[in-house]
Amino acid sequence: MYGFRRNAQGHACLGETPLSELLARTGLETPVYFYDLDAIAREARNLRAGYGSAPHVVAYAVKANSAGSVVRTLAAEGVGADVVSAAELEVVLGCGIPASKIVMSGVAKKDAELDFAIASGLLAIQAESVEEVTRIAVRARALGRQARIGFRLNPGVEIESHAHISTGHDKAKFGIARADVARAFEAVDAAGPVLLAVGLSAHVGSMLHEVAPYLKSAQHVCDVARARRASKPGLEYVSFGGGFGIDYGGGPTAEPADFARQAVELLGREGLSDLMLVAEPGRSLVGAHGVLVAKVVQSKVSADNAWVMIDAGMNDLLRPALYGAKHRVEPLDRERSAPEWRVVGPVCESSDDFGAHPLGPNAPEAVVIRDAGAYSFTMASEYNGRAMASEVFVKSGQIVSTSASPGAAAWVKRRLQA
Ligand SMILES: Cc1ncc(COP(=O)(O)O)c(C=O)c1O
């Protein structure tokens, strides 16, 4: 049994084990993130099965969750990585992901980051502008190395998602616009042998519920790939990005393996089946397989308002404040029931609000915030002098590793020294 579930007593569990028991075993102070490594491994296997025998690399978007235990679990499933900084690259290499399965994206990679990526011999550095293509050539020449590059194309496709996670439209800072693709190839070809143009990618944004917008963007990648191949050899892969949605409680989304199957079919129809397919999923591999456990500090009832105030805040889980995201918040050790309470954190911002949730007639002692495996801990901050939460990694009901909070004292020391 994997993932988040309720046992017969109504206790929130990861797999078979109640979260309150896991929390007691660690002796850690809340808030604590718990992750189910078995469920993450299964997610990777399901997605990879969608590609069948087609040559592919699942390049996990590490920004979703960069914990070593998570990355090592995915590496063991044959997964690669999509990184956006030198630090992320160091983590994934340290977790044993081979450079040949790593792509680096990002709109403003610094020279030192490009140098590290070039020296590491990645599958590709995905250039996001014509200007960057030229900078990569300069860095490769300085290092006396050849750089393998891909273009991240901006497909000009709008998706139905929050504006902050829609990246493939005309006004987005991401990717090489349709109008600039020819110039980008001219820049590569003019640079000579220091640059090898090996790939083309696009990523329309996150939380896709259906495959159609993904295929629309993928079609643009295929069109550019066919045109390039007609004039020059060298392309090795196409990537249609990530963005596969998960069910945060609002209803099911298309399965990640459906995106994979349809990508394989599209390549076949386009006569490009000899190219390797790269996918860059983040959220879909880890999002549903992490939870944040918080204690209730106090409740507050005033006029028509009933608040439950917890010890996790927007500094621990920013998505509701940043994107208006709704995570299910449930009592830790009993089923949900009416009435609703407004669940808020301790941070001095009105946006530190996790929404209204049916927590029962009396405020519970602790709550579990679901689907907090992606873009949760990785977006955390120490705002308001609040130390980062602890993280606990679980496999077959056993705690296999723990990353304890640095604690408030470390923050105090750094602030006093500043
Ligand atoms: C280039 C790129 N690839 C992949 C991803 C991962 O997206 P998701 O977590 O929605 O799969 C992102 C997310 O920001 C991205 O920018």
Side-chain angles (χ1 to χ4, degrees):
M1 198 71 84
Y2 295 138
F4 180 87
R5 55 184 282 270
R6 294 254 165 209
N7 66 11
Q9 293 73 44
H11 296 168
C13 299
L14 267 199
E16 307 281 339
T17 321
L19 281 156
S20 47
E21 192 186 312
L22 290 169
L23 180 64
R25 268 193 239 163
T26 66
L28 291 166
E29 295 257 321
T30 49
V32 181
Y33 279 98
F34 290 89
Y35 306 100
D36 185 334
L37 298 179
D38 295 310
I40 290 170
R42 184 190 49 178
E43 205 68 71
R45 283 197 291 277
N46 287 347
L47 175 59
R48 291 205 59 199
Y51 291 100
S53 58
H56 69 277
V57 169
V58 171
Y60 167 55
V62 178
K63 60 174 90 71
N65 187 325
S66 49
S69 296
V70 168
V71 178
R72 281 186 290 272
T73 298
L74 291 170
E77 295 299 327
V79 166
D82 168 37
V83 300
V84 289
S85 66
E88 282 190 357
L89 177 53
E90 230 178 304
V91 167
V92 303
L93 288 171
C95 288
I97 295 185
S100 59
K101 288 187 189 171
I102 301 172
V103 292
M104 179 184 259
S105 309
V107 293
K109 308 173 194 82
K110 291 183 166 198
D111 284 356
E113 295 183 307
L114 290 176
D115 289 358
F116 183 28
I118 294 168
S120 302
L122 305 188
L123 171 57
I125 300 171
Q126 306 206 116
E128 303 225 11
S129 60
V130 180
E131 291 82 349
E132 192 185 6
V133 173
T134 309
R135 278 185 57 229
I136 298 171
V138 170
R139 296 316 311 160
R141 244 177 241 117
L143 292 176
R145 297 279 299 252
Q146 187 176 53
R148 295 168 55 83
I149 70 166
F151 290 169
R152 176 173 178 186
L153 303 172
N154 183 327
V157 172
E158 292 278 357
I159 59 167
E160 266 183 50
S161 199
H162 191 278
H164 293 182
I165 51 175
S166 169
T167 57
H169 56 84
D170 290 342
K171 296 278 180 266
K173 68 178 176 178
F174 301 99
I176 297 173
R178 285 171 184 254
D180 297 329
V181 173
R183 261 195 323 129
F185 278 122
E186 279 162 25
V188 167
D189 296 336
V194 285
L195 293 188
L196 205 55
V198 295
L200 291 167
S201 71
H203 170 79
V204 266
S206 212
M207 275 307 288
L208 297 172
H209 293 283
E210 49 182 42
V211 188
Y214 181 77
L215 288 181
K216 202 166 161 194
S217 154
Q219 184 64 55
H220 174 54
V221 178
C222 291
D223 292 345
V224 176
R226 275 192 285 98
R228 172 70 176 175
R229 287 184 120 186
S231 61
K232 284 253 161 38
L235 271 191
E236 296 174 17
Y237 79 87
V238 285
S239 167
F240 304 147
F244 319 144
I246 64 167
D247 180 4
Y248 282 99
T253 65
E255 288 292 320
D258 291 341
F259 288 84
R261 276 188 282 273
Q262 298 210 34
V264 173
E265 280 170 27
L266 176 66
L267 271 201
R269 286 197 300 276
E270 295 291 317
L272 297 170
S273 295
D274 57 312
L275 290 179
M276 185 167 69
L277 253 176
V278 175
E280 303 164 14
R283 185 190 316 275
S284 60
L285 290 174
V286 292
H289 310 308
V291 296
L292 178 58
V293 172
K295 291 241 163 90
V296 172
V297 178
Q298 64 172 62
S299 56
K300 173 174 171 180
V301 178
S302 165
D304 292 339
N305 301 306
W307 290 280
V308 157
M309 293 157 169
I310 61 175
D311 64 3
M314 64 188 284
N315 68 300
D316 301 300
L317 178 52
L318 185 61
R319 298 187 66 257
L322 186 63
Y323 304 137
K326 191 154 183 192
H327 284 254
R328 285 167 285 190
V329 184
E330 303 180 1
L332 187 63
D333 276 335
R334 60 173 198 241
E335 300 279 359
R336 297 183 307 160
S337 64
E340 288 195 331
W341 297 73
R342 197 135 203 118
V343 179
V344 295
V347 173
C348 296
E349 297 286 344
S350 306
S351 53
D352 187 23
D353 186 331
F354 295 103
H357 301 274
L359 297 181
N362 307 307
E365 279 180 21
V367 295
V368 54
I369 305 181
R370 293 181 56 181
D371 308 305
Y375 304 107
S376 297
F377 184 85
T378 48
M379 286 189 176
S381 76
E382 296 173 313
Y383 184 41
N384 276 205
R386 294 173 41 76
M388 308 272 271
S390 297
E391 295 180 287
V392 174
F393 304 87
V394 180
K395 193 168 166 38
S396 310
Q398 300 303 318
I399 294 169
V400 291
S401 57
T402 297
S403 171
S405 167
W411 181 86
V412 172
K413 194 170 163 201
R414 280 207 319 280
R415 290 288 82 198
L416 286 171
Q417 284 167 350

